[in-house]
mmCIF file of all heavy atoms in Angstrom:
data_model
loop_
_atom_site.group_PDB
_atom_site.id
_atom_site.type_symbol
_atom_site.label_atom_id
_atom_site.label_comp_id
_atom_site.label_asym_id
_atom_site.label_seq_id
_atom_site.Cartn_x
_atom_site.Cartn_y
_atom_site.Cartn_z
ATOM 1 N N ASP A 18 -79.202 0.376 -72.503
ATOM 2 C CA ASP A 18 -79.447 -0.721 -71.431
ATOM 3 C C ASP A 18 -78.721 -0.446 -70.155
ATOM 4 O O ASP A 18 -77.592 0.100 -70.148
ATOM 5 C CB ASP A 18 -78.928 -2.126 -71.990
ATOM 6 C CG ASP A 18 -79.711 -2.634 -73.120
ATOM 7 O OD1 ASP A 18 -80.923 -2.240 -73.338
ATOM 8 O OD2 ASP A 18 -79.260 -3.611 -73.773
ATOM 9 N N ILE A 19 -79.387 -0.905 -69.089
ATOM 10 C CA ILE A 19 -78.884 -0.759 -67.684
ATOM 11 C C ILE A 19 -78.983 -2.028 -67.066
ATOM 12 O O ILE A 19 -80.071 -2.720 -66.969
ATOM 13 C CB ILE A 19 -79.826 0.251 -66.902
ATOM 14 C CG1 ILE A 19 -79.725 1.666 -67.550
ATOM 15 C CG2 ILE A 19 -79.205 0.424 -65.438
ATOM 16 C CD1 ILE A 19 -80.602 2.668 -66.892
ATOM 17 N N SER A 20 -77.802 -2.431 -66.457
ATOM 18 C CA SER A 20 -77.914 -3.770 -65.789
ATOM 19 C C SER A 20 -78.263 -3.749 -64.424
ATOM 20 O O SER A 20 -78.326 -2.586 -63.912
ATOM 21 C CB SER A 20 -76.424 -4.310 -65.755
ATOM 22 O OG SER A 20 -75.479 -3.515 -64.937
ATOM 23 N N VAL A 21 -78.726 -4.796 -63.788
ATOM 24 C CA VAL A 21 -79.070 -4.825 -62.318
ATOM 25 C C VAL A 21 -77.809 -4.736 -61.470
ATOM 26 O O VAL A 21 -76.709 -5.047 -62.061
ATOM 27 C CB VAL A 21 -79.891 -6.122 -61.951
ATOM 28 C CG1 VAL A 21 -81.093 -6.164 -62.772
ATOM 29 C CG2 VAL A 21 -79.003 -7.343 -62.215
ATOM 30 N N GLU A 22 -77.917 -4.339 -60.346
ATOM 31 C CA GLU A 22 -76.720 -4.380 -59.447
ATOM 32 C C GLU A 22 -76.206 -5.766 -59.323
ATOM 33 O O GLU A 22 -76.918 -6.744 -59.175
ATOM 34 C CB GLU A 22 -77.099 -3.809 -58.087
ATOM 35 C CG GLU A 22 -75.899 -3.696 -57.223
ATOM 36 C CD GLU A 22 -76.207 -2.994 -55.798
ATOM 37 O OE1 GLU A 22 -77.418 -2.472 -55.622
ATOM 38 O OE2 GLU A 22 -75.422 -3.053 -54.926
ATOM 39 N N HIS A 23 -74.919 -5.872 -59.427
ATOM 40 C CA HIS A 23 -74.265 -7.239 -59.373
ATOM 41 C C HIS A 23 -72.789 -7.173 -58.795
ATOM 42 O O HIS A 23 -72.336 -6.077 -58.691
ATOM 43 C CB HIS A 23 -74.170 -7.916 -60.778
ATOM 44 C CG HIS A 23 -73.468 -7.027 -61.791
ATOM 45 N ND1 HIS A 23 -74.167 -5.964 -62.403
ATOM 46 C CD2 HIS A 23 -72.281 -7.136 -62.234
ATOM 47 C CE1 HIS A 23 -73.239 -5.462 -63.308
ATOM 48 N NE2 HIS A 23 -72.124 -6.114 -63.235
ATOM 49 N N HIS A 24 -72.237 -8.267 -58.544
ATOM 50 C CA HIS A 24 -70.943 -8.357 -57.934
ATOM 51 C C HIS A 24 -69.905 -9.065 -58.869
ATOM 52 O O HIS A 24 -70.325 -10.022 -59.555
ATOM 53 C CB HIS A 24 -71.018 -9.228 -56.698
ATOM 54 C CG HIS A 24 -69.733 -9.471 -56.094
ATOM 55 N ND1 HIS A 24 -69.050 -10.649 -56.295
ATOM 56 C CD2 HIS A 24 -68.880 -8.778 -55.292
ATOM 57 C CE1 HIS A 24 -67.899 -10.692 -55.595
ATOM 58 N NE2 HIS A 24 -67.768 -9.576 -54.987
ATOM 59 N N HIS A 25 -68.689 -8.441 -58.935
ATOM 60 C CA HIS A 25 -67.607 -9.100 -59.578
ATOM 61 C C HIS A 25 -66.495 -9.284 -58.594
ATOM 62 O O HIS A 25 -66.168 -8.472 -57.916
ATOM 63 C CB HIS A 25 -66.980 -8.121 -60.718
ATOM 64 C CG HIS A 25 -67.866 -7.938 -61.834
ATOM 65 N ND1 HIS A 25 -67.925 -8.741 -62.868
ATOM 66 C CD2 HIS A 25 -68.600 -6.893 -62.161
ATOM 67 C CE1 HIS A 25 -68.623 -8.363 -63.864
ATOM 68 N NE2 HIS A 25 -69.175 -7.113 -63.490
ATOM 69 N N PRO A 26 -65.930 -10.492 -58.509
ATOM 70 C CA PRO A 26 -64.708 -10.728 -57.842
ATOM 71 C C PRO A 26 -63.621 -10.030 -58.552
ATOM 72 O O PRO A 26 -63.875 -9.596 -59.673
ATOM 73 C CB PRO A 26 -64.572 -12.321 -57.726
ATOM 74 C CG PRO A 26 -65.328 -12.750 -58.862
ATOM 75 C CD PRO A 26 -66.470 -11.797 -59.158
ATOM 76 N N ASP A 27 -62.333 -10.149 -58.070
ATOM 77 C CA ASP A 27 -61.206 -9.678 -58.932
ATOM 78 C C ASP A 27 -61.270 -10.399 -60.333
ATOM 79 O O ASP A 27 -61.475 -11.532 -60.390
ATOM 80 C CB ASP A 27 -59.857 -10.093 -58.225
ATOM 81 C CG ASP A 27 -59.641 -9.034 -56.990
ATOM 82 O OD1 ASP A 27 -60.195 -8.093 -56.909
ATOM 83 O OD2 ASP A 27 -58.710 -9.621 -56.238
ATOM 84 N N SER A 28 -61.151 -9.533 -61.349
ATOM 85 C CA SER A 28 -61.396 -10.040 -62.686
ATOM 86 C C SER A 28 -60.482 -9.372 -63.779
ATOM 87 O O SER A 28 -59.933 -8.304 -63.492
ATOM 88 C CB SER A 28 -62.900 -9.718 -63.190
ATOM 89 O OG SER A 28 -63.819 -10.237 -62.229
ATOM 90 N N VAL A 29 -60.321 -10.177 -64.825
ATOM 91 C CA VAL A 29 -59.732 -9.425 -66.011
ATOM 92 C C VAL A 29 -60.875 -9.336 -67.068
ATOM 93 O O VAL A 29 -61.553 -10.266 -67.327
ATOM 94 C CB VAL A 29 -58.602 -10.461 -66.570
ATOM 95 C CG1 VAL A 29 -58.045 -9.804 -67.899
ATOM 96 C CG2 VAL A 29 -57.444 -10.475 -65.548
ATOM 97 N N MET A 30 -60.910 -8.225 -67.620
ATOM 98 C CA MET A 30 -62.033 -7.792 -68.702
ATOM 99 C C MET A 30 -61.325 -7.727 -69.958
ATOM 100 O O MET A 30 -60.431 -6.944 -70.121
ATOM 101 C CB MET A 30 -62.788 -6.665 -68.247
ATOM 102 C CG MET A 30 -63.804 -6.235 -69.281
ATOM 103 S SD MET A 30 -64.708 -4.763 -68.937
ATOM 104 C CE MET A 30 -63.459 -3.465 -69.090
ATOM 105 N N ILE A 31 -61.848 -8.407 -71.082
ATOM 106 C CA ILE A 31 -61.318 -8.345 -72.434
ATOM 107 C C ILE A 31 -62.540 -7.734 -73.197
ATOM 108 O O ILE A 31 -63.608 -8.352 -73.327
ATOM 109 C CB ILE A 31 -60.901 -9.716 -72.997
ATOM 110 C CG1 ILE A 31 -59.859 -10.249 -72.014
ATOM 111 C CG2 ILE A 31 -60.330 -9.542 -74.309
ATOM 112 C CD1 ILE A 31 -60.218 -11.411 -71.272
ATOM 113 N N THR A 32 -62.219 -6.537 -73.862
ATOM 114 C CA THR A 32 -63.343 -5.986 -74.631
ATOM 115 C C THR A 32 -63.277 -6.509 -76.052
ATOM 116 O O THR A 32 -62.304 -6.514 -76.684
ATOM 117 C CB THR A 32 -63.187 -4.380 -74.690
ATOM 118 O OG1 THR A 32 -61.904 -4.086 -75.288
ATOM 119 C CG2 THR A 32 -63.163 -3.805 -73.279
ATOM 120 N N LEU A 33 -64.460 -6.907 -76.445
ATOM 121 C CA LEU A 33 -64.622 -7.352 -77.886
ATOM 122 C C LEU A 33 -65.256 -6.376 -78.806
ATOM 123 O O LEU A 33 -65.214 -6.495 -80.020
ATOM 124 C CB LEU A 33 -65.478 -8.647 -77.890
ATOM 125 C CG LEU A 33 -64.856 -9.777 -77.109
ATOM 126 C CD1 LEU A 33 -65.725 -10.967 -77.080
ATOM 127 C CD2 LEU A 33 -63.515 -10.158 -77.492
ATOM 128 N N SER A 34 -65.728 -5.271 -78.203
ATOM 129 C CA SER A 34 -66.316 -4.067 -78.954
ATOM 130 C C SER A 34 -65.931 -2.856 -78.262
ATOM 131 O O SER A 34 -65.396 -2.892 -77.121
ATOM 132 C CB SER A 34 -67.840 -4.164 -79.072
ATOM 133 O OG SER A 34 -68.348 -4.016 -77.755
ATOM 134 N N SER A 35 -65.878 -1.741 -78.968
ATOM 135 C CA SER A 35 -65.753 -0.306 -78.369
ATOM 136 C C SER A 35 -67.070 -0.006 -77.728
ATOM 137 O O SER A 35 -68.095 -0.261 -78.373
ATOM 138 C CB SER A 35 -65.305 0.655 -79.536
ATOM 139 O OG SER A 35 -64.137 0.250 -79.998
ATOM 140 N N PHE A 36 -67.028 0.658 -76.602
ATOM 141 C CA PHE A 36 -68.317 1.138 -75.915
ATOM 142 C C PHE A 36 -68.067 2.244 -74.970
ATOM 143 O O PHE A 36 -66.926 2.460 -74.526
ATOM 144 C CB PHE A 36 -68.967 -0.157 -75.302
ATOM 145 C CG PHE A 36 -68.001 -0.847 -74.328
ATOM 146 C CD1 PHE A 36 -68.007 -0.447 -72.880
ATOM 147 C CD2 PHE A 36 -67.441 -1.928 -74.692
ATOM 148 C CE1 PHE A 36 -67.124 -1.038 -72.028
ATOM 149 C CE2 PHE A 36 -66.656 -2.700 -73.709
ATOM 150 C CZ PHE A 36 -66.534 -2.158 -72.461
ATOM 151 N N ASP A 37 -69.210 2.905 -74.554
ATOM 152 C CA ASP A 37 -69.114 3.901 -73.454
ATOM 153 C C ASP A 37 -70.161 3.437 -72.450
ATOM 154 O O ASP A 37 -71.272 2.863 -72.713
ATOM 155 C CB ASP A 37 -69.651 5.225 -74.027
ATOM 156 C CG ASP A 37 -68.746 5.811 -74.975
ATOM 157 O OD1 ASP A 37 -67.494 5.907 -74.756
ATOM 158 O OD2 ASP A 37 -69.258 6.206 -76.091
ATOM 159 N N ARG A 38 -69.774 3.462 -71.152
ATOM 160 C CA ARG A 38 -70.493 2.983 -70.104
ATOM 161 C C ARG A 38 -70.374 3.897 -68.883
ATOM 162 O O ARG A 38 -69.333 4.608 -68.763
ATOM 163 C CB ARG A 38 -70.103 1.582 -69.577
ATOM 164 C CG ARG A 38 -70.320 0.523 -70.591
ATOM 165 C CD ARG A 38 -70.053 -0.834 -70.033
ATOM 166 N NE ARG A 38 -71.135 -1.295 -69.163
ATOM 167 C CZ ARG A 38 -72.327 -1.648 -69.562
ATOM 168 N NH1 ARG A 38 -72.658 -1.563 -70.780
ATOM 169 N NH2 ARG A 38 -73.209 -2.081 -68.795
ATOM 170 N N ARG A 39 -71.483 3.850 -68.040
ATOM 171 C CA ARG A 39 -71.416 4.503 -66.698
ATOM 172 C C ARG A 39 -71.513 3.461 -65.703
ATOM 173 O O ARG A 39 -72.483 2.638 -65.694
ATOM 174 C CB ARG A 39 -72.533 5.573 -66.529
ATOM 175 C CG ARG A 39 -72.480 6.239 -65.110
ATOM 176 C CD ARG A 39 -73.433 7.343 -65.133
ATOM 177 N NE ARG A 39 -72.954 8.388 -65.971
ATOM 178 C CZ ARG A 39 -73.498 8.984 -66.995
ATOM 179 N NH1 ARG A 39 -74.904 8.684 -67.166
ATOM 180 N NH2 ARG A 39 -72.988 9.908 -67.785
ATOM 181 N N ILE A 40 -70.452 3.263 -64.817
ATOM 182 C CA ILE A 40 -70.402 2.325 -63.840
ATOM 183 C C ILE A 40 -70.819 2.978 -62.491
ATOM 184 O O ILE A 40 -70.201 4.007 -62.188
ATOM 185 C CB ILE A 40 -69.104 1.647 -63.697
ATOM 186 C CG1 ILE A 40 -68.594 1.070 -65.021
ATOM 187 C CG2 ILE A 40 -69.018 0.528 -62.635
ATOM 188 C CD1 ILE A 40 -69.359 0.021 -65.698
ATOM 189 N N SER A 41 -71.790 2.494 -61.806
ATOM 190 C CA SER A 41 -72.364 3.228 -60.589
ATOM 191 C C SER A 41 -72.429 2.294 -59.361
ATOM 192 O O SER A 41 -72.629 1.165 -59.492
ATOM 193 C CB SER A 41 -73.679 3.868 -60.824
ATOM 194 O OG SER A 41 -73.558 4.703 -61.973
ATOM 195 N N VAL A 42 -72.351 2.911 -58.114
ATOM 196 C CA VAL A 42 -72.654 2.409 -56.946
ATOM 197 C C VAL A 42 -73.550 3.443 -56.197
ATOM 198 O O VAL A 42 -73.741 4.491 -56.822
ATOM 199 C CB VAL A 42 -71.501 2.018 -56.063
ATOM 200 C CG1 VAL A 42 -70.706 0.897 -56.613
ATOM 201 C CG2 VAL A 42 -70.593 3.301 -55.697
ATOM 202 N N VAL A 43 -73.996 3.327 -55.118
ATOM 203 C CA VAL A 43 -74.949 4.116 -54.415
ATOM 204 C C VAL A 43 -74.452 5.565 -54.394
ATOM 205 O O VAL A 43 -75.116 6.557 -54.834
ATOM 206 C CB VAL A 43 -75.258 3.756 -53.052
ATOM 207 C CG1 VAL A 43 -76.175 4.703 -52.310
ATOM 208 C CG2 VAL A 43 -75.888 2.294 -53.037
ATOM 209 N N ASP A 44 -73.170 5.796 -54.057
ATOM 210 C CA ASP A 44 -72.635 7.102 -53.783
ATOM 211 C C ASP A 44 -71.743 7.722 -54.902
ATOM 212 O O ASP A 44 -71.280 8.822 -54.670
ATOM 213 C CB ASP A 44 -72.128 7.298 -52.464
ATOM 214 C CG ASP A 44 -70.927 6.298 -52.292
ATOM 215 O OD1 ASP A 44 -70.834 5.362 -53.051
ATOM 216 O OD2 ASP A 44 -70.152 6.626 -51.237
ATOM 217 N N ARG A 45 -71.486 6.928 -55.948
ATOM 218 C CA ARG A 45 -70.522 7.585 -56.900
ATOM 219 C C ARG A 45 -70.796 6.723 -58.227
ATOM 220 O O ARG A 45 -71.338 5.634 -58.287
ATOM 221 C CB ARG A 45 -69.084 7.465 -56.508
ATOM 222 C CG ARG A 45 -68.604 6.075 -56.224
ATOM 223 C CD ARG A 45 -67.125 6.105 -55.510
ATOM 224 N NE ARG A 45 -66.832 4.812 -55.077
ATOM 225 C CZ ARG A 45 -65.570 4.189 -55.269
ATOM 226 N NH1 ARG A 45 -64.781 4.875 -56.004
ATOM 227 N NH2 ARG A 45 -65.402 2.970 -54.886
ATOM 228 N N SER A 46 -70.174 7.355 -59.326
ATOM 229 C CA SER A 46 -70.179 6.728 -60.613
ATOM 230 C C SER A 46 -68.948 7.186 -61.388
ATOM 231 O O SER A 46 -68.349 8.249 -61.069
ATOM 232 C CB SER A 46 -71.518 7.050 -61.422
ATOM 233 O OG SER A 46 -71.618 8.402 -61.649
ATOM 234 N N VAL A 47 -68.668 6.413 -62.444
ATOM 235 C CA VAL A 47 -67.535 6.689 -63.276
ATOM 236 C C VAL A 47 -67.905 6.549 -64.698
ATOM 237 O O VAL A 47 -68.584 5.406 -65.029
ATOM 238 C CB VAL A 47 -66.205 5.966 -62.736
ATOM 239 C CG1 VAL A 47 -66.360 4.422 -62.957
ATOM 240 C CG2 VAL A 47 -64.968 6.448 -63.628
ATOM 241 N N ASP A 48 -67.564 7.324 -65.703
ATOM 242 C CA ASP A 48 -67.864 7.060 -67.076
ATOM 243 C C ASP A 48 -66.589 6.436 -67.674
ATOM 244 O O ASP A 48 -65.440 6.788 -67.351
ATOM 245 C CB ASP A 48 -68.127 8.388 -67.824
ATOM 246 C CG ASP A 48 -69.502 8.983 -67.332
ATOM 247 O OD1 ASP A 48 -70.384 8.125 -67.098
ATOM 248 O OD2 ASP A 48 -69.646 10.198 -67.349
ATOM 249 N N VAL A 49 -66.789 5.466 -68.488
ATOM 250 C CA VAL A 49 -65.804 4.618 -68.990
ATOM 251 C C VAL A 49 -65.906 4.596 -70.580
ATOM 252 O O VAL A 49 -67.055 4.331 -71.058
ATOM 253 C CB VAL A 49 -65.794 3.212 -68.457
ATOM 254 C CG1 VAL A 49 -64.792 2.266 -69.158
ATOM 255 C CG2 VAL A 49 -65.640 3.187 -66.993
#
Side-chain angles (χ1 to χ4, degrees):
D18 288 346
I19 301 173
S20 68
V21 297
E22 185 175 352
H23 57 279
H24 172 263
H25 288 281
D27 286 342
S28 305
V29 174
M30 179 180 69
I31 302 108
T32 62
L33 302 178
S34 67
S35 298
F36 56 84
D37 296 309
R38 297 188 70 70
R39 179 167 294 125
I40 308 297
S41 301
V42 293
V43 174
D44 59 345
R45 62 187 172 131
S46 65
V47 62
D48 290 328
V49 176

